[in-house]
């Protein structure tokens, strides 16, 4: 694999990530030539006099290194070579096959800022940057700038680089995978992007369809049975979000962590801004939002383009936890690396071509949801039922979409059987579901008995909305019931909520 990019474009950093991830041999050509110069007087003469080393000498040295057994068994990362089309052709003529070219296309102004801001401590040799990593106050007066790190010199070097780069890209053709950084293109990463997020894009370029990254986008066309009332849309959105989250866990940035333990949904928030419509094209997005030592938050949205605007139809957040083989909670594997991939809202907006949705108000952890719904009244509506196999996923856990569908059904049963205050009965029966907050606390199997309780919390009615709370216990009939679920639905009598519009 060849890493191609401008000076200070991040090639060395990405090569380090690639070598660690795939076990490949990283060969910085400058280091290789200096090491071989100890044994090749002619090469040492070129280097000592500051002359360009002829292509045939460089290729000869490289080919000798590539003949070593570790290169054959582990693969090679070339950093700093080829620099010209002639060098690329010389590689081919020498029998070296380039599998892929990772092209880091970094905007010129970003490169100028990175290099011109560098300062070196002449005593320690440590490199600082006036903005990103300023030197400590006690050495601020002694750091220096290299003569060739001025903006004028850098721009002259970039002119030459662009000419040579274009020729190499033309020669390599469809083997090139381009990562845009701060160059203004629709898919560009922001100029100040973290290096791990760049590597996330590099991994997608190297692994193709087997790795989906930390942001998953997919197109969907809503089917008629997935549309209808707000409740239907809420349940359908939960299904879409669950499937997209499964991709993130199986083939995305959470795959390595998921291999260390089971991933469980602990809580979620869903919000509706409108209803799905049949045969309409939508974009489904899922991304890594926040990483803590014991949990991961994943964001979701379903949106459509309307007259140049992005309109969110549904959005949500899910909190995931990890448990070991014994069912005990564990710290999030690869936590620090995942934190580097997590995208706070500002970074997410900069990464996406469309603006990602706003975060729902308030967190959604089990403790917060419990405080939101309050304690269960002793005289509340209750109902006994059984778990059907159709409600379970492949791991034998209740589908989150099934839970939401049951919650919607229970509020109608409770209202029709006078389980809520009489003055609220008609309102509950005719209200539209606009939000759902659910915490998942236990497990049941097919045929297990469940005991459902539902009530209207105190001060639950405000701003034209009404809160309906639920608590579910369950398990085998011959054992004590365990707490399975706590949650609530936010109902609204308002007409269709105004869609959330984000300008492109």
């Amino acid at each position: 694999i060849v890493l191609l990019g401008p000076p200070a474009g991040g090639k060395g950093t990405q090569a380090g990530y690639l070598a660690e991830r795939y076990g490949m041999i990283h060969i910085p050509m400058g280091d290789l030539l200096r090491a071989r110069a100890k044994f090749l007087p002619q090469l040492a003469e070129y280097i000592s006099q500051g002359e360009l080393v002829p292509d045939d000498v460089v290729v000869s040295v490289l080919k000798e290194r590539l003949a070593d057994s570790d290169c054959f068994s582990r693969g090679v990362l070339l950093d700093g070579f080829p620099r010209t089309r002639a060098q690329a052709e010389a590689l081919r003529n020498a029998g070296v096959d380039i599998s892929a070219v990772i092209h880091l296309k970094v905007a010129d102004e970003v490169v100028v800022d990175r290099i011109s801001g560098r300062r070196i401590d002449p005593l320690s040799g440590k490199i600082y940057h006036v903005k990103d990593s300023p030197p400590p106050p006690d050495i601020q007066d002694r750091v220096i700038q290299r003569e060739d790190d001025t903006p004028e010199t850098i721009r002259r070097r970039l002119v030459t680089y662009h000419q040579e780069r274009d020729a190499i890209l033309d020669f390599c053709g469809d083997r090139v995978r381009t990562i845009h950084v701060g160059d203004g293109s629709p898919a560009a990463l922001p100029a100040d992007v973290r290096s791990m997020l760049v590597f996330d894009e590099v991994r997608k370029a190297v692994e193709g369809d087997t790795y989906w990254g930390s942001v998953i986008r997919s197109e969907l066309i809503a089917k008629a049975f997935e549309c209808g009332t707000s409740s239907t849309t809420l349940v359908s959105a939960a299904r879409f979000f669950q499937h997209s989250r499964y991709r993130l866990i199986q083939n995305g940035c959470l795959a390595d962590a998921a291999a260390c333990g089971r991933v469980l949904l602990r809580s979620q928030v869903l919000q509706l801004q409108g209803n799905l419509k049949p045969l309409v094209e939508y974009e489904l997005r899922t991304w890594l939002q926040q990483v803590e030592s014991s949990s991961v938050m994943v964001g979701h949205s379903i949106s459509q383009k309307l007259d140049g605007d992005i309109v969110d139809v549904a959005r949500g957040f899910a909190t995931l936890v990890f448990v070991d083989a014994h069912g005990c909670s564990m710290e999030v594997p690869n936590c620090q690396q995942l934190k580097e991939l997590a995208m706070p809202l500002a970074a997410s907006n900069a990464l996406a071509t469309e603006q990602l949705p706003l975060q729902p108000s308030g967190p959604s952890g089990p403790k917060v949801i419990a405080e939101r719904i309050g304690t269960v009244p002793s005289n509340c509506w209750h109902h006994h039922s059984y778990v059907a196999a159709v409600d379970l996923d492949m791991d034998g856990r209740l589908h989150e979409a099934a839970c939401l569908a049951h919650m919607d059904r229970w509020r109608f049963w409770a209202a029709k059987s006078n389980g809520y205050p009489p003055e609220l009965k008609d309102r509950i029966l005719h209200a539209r579901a606009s939000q759902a907050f659910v915490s998942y606390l236990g497990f049941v199997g097919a045929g297990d008995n469940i005991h459902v309780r539902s009530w209207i919390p105190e001060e639950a009615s405000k701003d034209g909305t009404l809160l309906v709370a639920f608590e579910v216990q369950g398990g085998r009939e011959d054992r004590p019931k365990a707490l399975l679920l706590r949650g609530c639905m936010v109902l609204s009598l308002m007409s269709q909520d105004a869609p959330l519009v984000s300008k492109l």
Side-chain angles (χ1 to χ4, degrees):
I1 294 178
V2 170
L3 286 166
L4 182 64
K11 299 187 297 297
T13 301
Q14 296 306 314
Y17 289 146
L18 282 163
E20 181 182 0
R21 176 77 195 178
Y22 304 110
M24 302 178 77
I25 302 299
H26 176 206
I27 302 181
M29 279 308 302
D31 295 349
L32 179 62
L33 292 174
R34 283 186 288 273
R36 289 292 193 268
K38 300 175 182 178
F39 310 100
L40 299 173
Q42 184 183 14
L43 176 58
E45 184 177 351
Y46 286 125
I47 295 176
S48 64
Q49 295 180 2
E51 298 179 3
L52 289 175
V53 182
D55 290 346
D56 60 337
V57 176
V58 177
V59 172
S60 175
V61 170
L62 177 61
K63 191 173 181 182
E64 179 185 351
R65 176 67 180 92
L66 294 177
D68 293 342
S69 59
D70 59 347
C71 293
F72 269 106
S73 61
R74 296 165 59 184
V76 173
L77 292 163
L78 292 182
D79 176 6
F81 190 86
R83 293 183 181 272
T84 66
R85 180 176 180 129
Q87 292 176 346
E89 292 174 344
L91 270 182
R92 182 186 62 184
N93 295 336
V96 177
D97 177 43
I98 298 175
S99 304
V101 176
I102 303 300
H103 172 211
L104 300 176
K105 189 176 182 182
V106 185
D108 285 359
E109 290 307 313
V110 175
V111 174
V112 171
D113 179 71
R114 288 179 181 178
I115 298 179
S116 64
R118 289 194 303 207
R119 298 294 184 269
I120 301 174
D121 180 3
L123 296 184
S124 66
K126 189 172 181 179
I127 299 176
Y128 299 93
H129 192 279
V130 293
K131 289 196 305 185
D132 300 332
S133 180
D138 57 326
I139 68 168
Q140 202 165 22
D141 295 335
R142 76 170 184 238
V143 295
I144 61 174
Q145 182 184 37
R146 295 195 315 189
E147 293 182 0
D148 57 352
D149 280 354
T150 62
E152 296 75 17
T153 305
I154 300 166
R155 289 191 174 92
R156 286 196 297 270
R157 291 165 60 191
L158 285 172
V159 171
T160 304
Y161 163 74
H162 289 315
Q163 293 172 347
E164 296 172 345
R165 176 206 63 187
D166 293 344
I168 295 175
L169 296 179
D170 180 66
F171 175 78
C172 294
D174 58 5
R175 288 172 292 180
V176 176
R177 303 291 183 269
T178 300
I179 313 295
H180 299 267
V181 179
D183 64 355
S185 63
L189 297 166
D192 59 349
V193 66
R194 296 191 293 265
S195 58
M196 186 57 71
L197 285 172
V198 178
F199 181 61
D200 198 50
E201 296 299 311
V202 171
R203 278 192 65 186
K204 284 156 59 172
V206 171
E207 299 184 29
D209 290 341
T210 61
Y211 181 69
W212 291 62
S214 58
V215 178
I216 295 180
R217 296 178 175 85
S218 56
E219 303 295 327
L220 66 90
I221 298 178
K223 302 175 180 63
F225 65 85
E226 296 166 337
C227 308
T229 65
S230 60
S231 299
T232 309
T233 296
L234 195 69
V235 172
S236 296
R239 289 195 180 100
F240 289 132
F241 291 165
Q242 182 179 15
H243 179 64
S244 188
R245 192 166 61 248
Y246 181 80
R247 286 178 170 176
L248 194 71
I249 294 171
Q250 295 297 316
N251 300 106
C253 63
L254 293 179
D256 290 347
C260 301
R262 294 170 61 198
V263 185
L264 304 179
L265 177 65
R266 176 60 37 146
S267 60
Q268 69 178 153
V269 177
L270 289 97
Q271 292 180 314
L272 293 185
Q273 300 297 327
N275 290 343
L276 294 173
K277 297 179 181 179
L279 304 181
V280 173
E281 293 185 4
Y282 298 96
E283 183 178 48
L284 171 62
R285 283 170 290 178
T286 295
W287 64 94
L288 191 63
Q289 176 73 25
Q290 183 178 337
V291 179
E292 302 293 343
S293 60
S294 58
S295 64
V296 170
M297 181 183 286
V298 175
H300 302 283
S301 73
I302 298 175
S303 57
Q304 69 177 123
K305 294 181 180 180
L306 290 176
D307 301 326
D309 294 328
I310 299 298
V311 179
D312 286 327
V313 176
R315 57 193 180 185
F317 287 83
T319 301
L320 308 177
V321 295
F322 293 78
V323 298
D324 59 22
H326 304 290
C328 300
S329 61
M330 56 187 287
E331 290 191 354
V332 176
N334 306 323
C335 182
Q336 190 55 46
Q337 180 178 326
L338 289 174
K339 283 185 177 180
E340 292 293 315
L341 288 175
M343 290 183 234
L345 196 59
S348 303
N349 292 342
L351 176 66
T353 56
E354 309 89 359
Q355 193 172 13
L356 289 174
L358 300 174
Q359 184 171 352
S361 57
S364 60
K367 183 177 180 181
V368 175
I369 292 177
E371 293 174 352
R372 189 182 187 111
I373 64 178
T375 56
V376 183
S378 58
N379 60 343
C380 69
W381 177 85
H382 62 96
H383 170 72
H384 285 274
S385 184
Y386 291 90
V387 177
V390 72
D391 296 328
L392 305 179
D393 61 17
M394 64 184 72
D395 296 319
R397 298 193 292 266
L398 274 173
H399 272 297
E400 59 207 67
C403 292
L404 292 172
H406 282 305
M407 287 169 62
D408 192 62
R409 187 173 292 110
W410 292 330
R411 60 127 167 168
F412 278 95
W413 286 353
K416 292 296 289 185
S417 58
N418 299 318
Y420 302 130
E423 65 273 14
L424 296 177
K425 177 178 179 179
D426 288 340
R427 184 177 182 184
I428 293 173
L429 290 174
H430 296 94
R432 59 181 295 271
S434 59
Q435 298 181 64
F437 299 78
V438 188
S439 60
Y440 301 92
L441 306 167
F443 306 97
V444 288
D448 285 355
N449 177 264
I450 58 174
H451 182 205
V452 182
R453 292 185 286 183
S454 180
W455 68 98
I456 307 297
E458 296 182 8
E459 301 180 1
S461 179
K462 60 179 181 179
D463 301 328
T465 62
L466 181 66
L467 198 69
V468 179
F470 301 90
E471 182 178 281
V472 181
Q473 295 179 336
R476 291 174 50 177
E477 293 185 339
D478 57 345
R479 295 181 181 179
K481 298 293 184 290
L483 183 60
L484 305 177
L485 177 152
R486 276 199 186 107
C488 62
M489 299 187 77
V490 179
L491 309 179
S492 174
L493 277 180
M494 299 167 61
S495 57
Q496 188 75 3
D497 290 342
L500 178 66
V501 176
S502 304
K503 292 292 183 182
L504 281 173

